[in-house]
Amino acid sequence: MRDITAIMSRDRAIPKHVAIIMDGNGRWAKQRNKERYEGHIAGVESVRAAVRAAVRNGVEWLTLYAFSTENWGRPTAEVDAIMELFCRTVMGEAKELASQGVRVKVMGERTRFSAEVLAMIDHIERSTAEGARLTLVLAFNYSARREIILAAQALAERVAKGDIRVDDIDEELFASELMSSGMPDPDFVIRTSGECRLSNFLLWQSSYAELYFPDVLWPDFGEEAFDKAMEVYAQRERRYGLVTEDC
Ligand code: FPP
């Protein structure tokens, strides 16, 4: 007899690109009378879990919002702790990621970083460049509005130089000037911790994404929670502004 659950799961819709706003590290730490940076340390374990689960589920692109441009406004000790954690994690995980077939890309402005952070970004991108199973995009010093402004400026310059005409600017050309150029748009955007906002994350790219706001703090978002999110996605009906037979 054929196993109907196996057949269903095989045919289940898998998002090609999952993007996650990893929220709730601070609250997780506070609930345990710990310092905020300890929540970020715990959050790194959820990053590992998300990568494993994404590979296992056949997701091809996973974007994680690790540090927003606005996050520079946090206390210096916390910013330093996140930068240090980033460097330590990148140093420690590069080989493991490469062996899992994960290619890492860092998306964001390469400004304000220390030389050490810049070197780590270079190191992780180079050492995982051959990965073909999953592209892990770390949004680091990223702001969607800033990204859109930079794209608008680049296009305005090209018009001024006579390289393109104003009429040439369409969605495709605009998207080609974004930091996400070459990436597929996210199909599924998850924000943990129950907050229901996009907070300057992939605003252009998420136009048709399905959104999901599980009430789980990021350090508690393990592989099971990721799998549950995949089930939620599979039940969504994506219409892209069109109509279906049922409505
Ligand atoms: C949001 O929680 C989380 C962050 C701003 C930082 C996330 C960073 C990591 C998990 C480590 C980065 C490292 C790598 C390698 C990707 P919050 O502090 O805003 O939580 P709260 O809303 O409860 O205060």
Side-chain angles (χ1 to χ4, degrees):
M1 205 171 88
R2 297 174 79 194
D3 178 352
I4 190 73
T5 47
I7 294 164
M8 282 172 70
S9 65
R10 215 186 310 133
D11 292 345
R12 215 177 57 175
I14 305 287
K16 183 172 183 173
H17 183 179
V18 175
I20 307 182
I21 302 172
M22 309 184 285
D23 196 15
N25 294 350
R27 274 163 283 168
W28 182 93
K30 201 169 172 203
Q31 284 172 4
R32 288 160 181 78
N33 284 322
K34 291 172 184 268
E35 297 290 333
R36 291 181 57 82
Y37 77 87
E38 296 181 81
H40 300 315
I41 292 174
V44 171
E45 192 42 55
S46 296
V47 170
R48 292 190 187 100
V51 170
R52 283 193 302 270
V55 169
R56 183 166 46 68
N57 278 280
V59 170
E60 293 173 42
W61 291 77
L62 175 66
T63 298
L64 301 178
Y65 204 3
F67 192 83
S68 73
T69 306
E70 292 76 23
N71 287 153
W72 291 108
R74 291 191 177 200
T76 312
E78 184 176 348
V79 171
D80 290 350
I82 293 176
M83 294 296 149
E84 212 243 293
L85 193 56
F86 176 82
C87 290
R88 201 158 14 113
T89 308
V90 160
M91 202 59 199
E93 304 286 327
K95 263 198 183 150
E96 172 63 22
L97 289 168
S99 73
Q100 287 182 65
V102 178
R103 170 177 71 145
V104 179
K105 288 197 154 290
V106 178
M107 179 174 72
E109 275 192 278
R110 305 273 166 108
T111 52
R112 295 184 73 169
F113 290 134
S114 67
E116 190 194 359
V117 172
L118 287 171
M120 284 301 151
I121 291 174
D122 192 50
H123 170 67
I124 192 81
E125 288 190 334
R126 277 169 190 270
S127 57
T128 62
E130 302 303 318
R133 281 182 94 180
L134 171 77
T135 301
L136 170 63
V137 181
L138 299 175
F140 207 58
N141 193 20
Y142 173 81
S143 146
R145 286 187 173 182
R146 178 81 183 136
E147 176 190 35
I148 290 168
I149 285 172
L150 289 172
Q153 287 176 347
L155 288 169
E157 260 178 41
R158 288 174 66 181
V159 171
K161 276 192 207 150
D163 175 25
I164 54 168
R165 290 175 300 122
V166 168
D167 285 354
D168 293 331
I169 301 174
D170 57 10
E171 287 193 17
E172 196 185 341
L173 188 61
F174 198 92
S176 74
E177 292 290 352
L178 292 171
M179 293 172 186
S180 57
S181 174
M183 289 167 57
D185 284 345
D187 302 292
F188 198 37
V189 175
I190 301 170
R191 181 183 188 136
T192 57
S193 90
E195 304 288 348
C196 304
R197 300 186 285 278
L198 289 178
S199 299
N200 218 352
F201 184 52
L202 299 179
L203 297 182
W204 169 281
Q205 299 86 341
S206 297
S207 294
Y208 289 103
E210 292 294 323
L211 308 180
Y212 175 49
F213 302 105
D215 199 3
V216 180
L217 302 176
W218 177 247
D220 293 327
F221 195 84
E223 285 196 58
E224 252 178 55
F226 193 101
D227 291 346
K228 177 163 183 248
M230 294 301 97
E231 279 169 30
V232 168
Y233 177 81
Q235 280 157 17
R236 298 281 176 91
E237 187 195 5
R238 302 186 71 190
R239 293 205 294 270
Y240 301 95
L242 306 174
V243 289
T244 57
E245 279 172 13
D246 319 342
C247 36

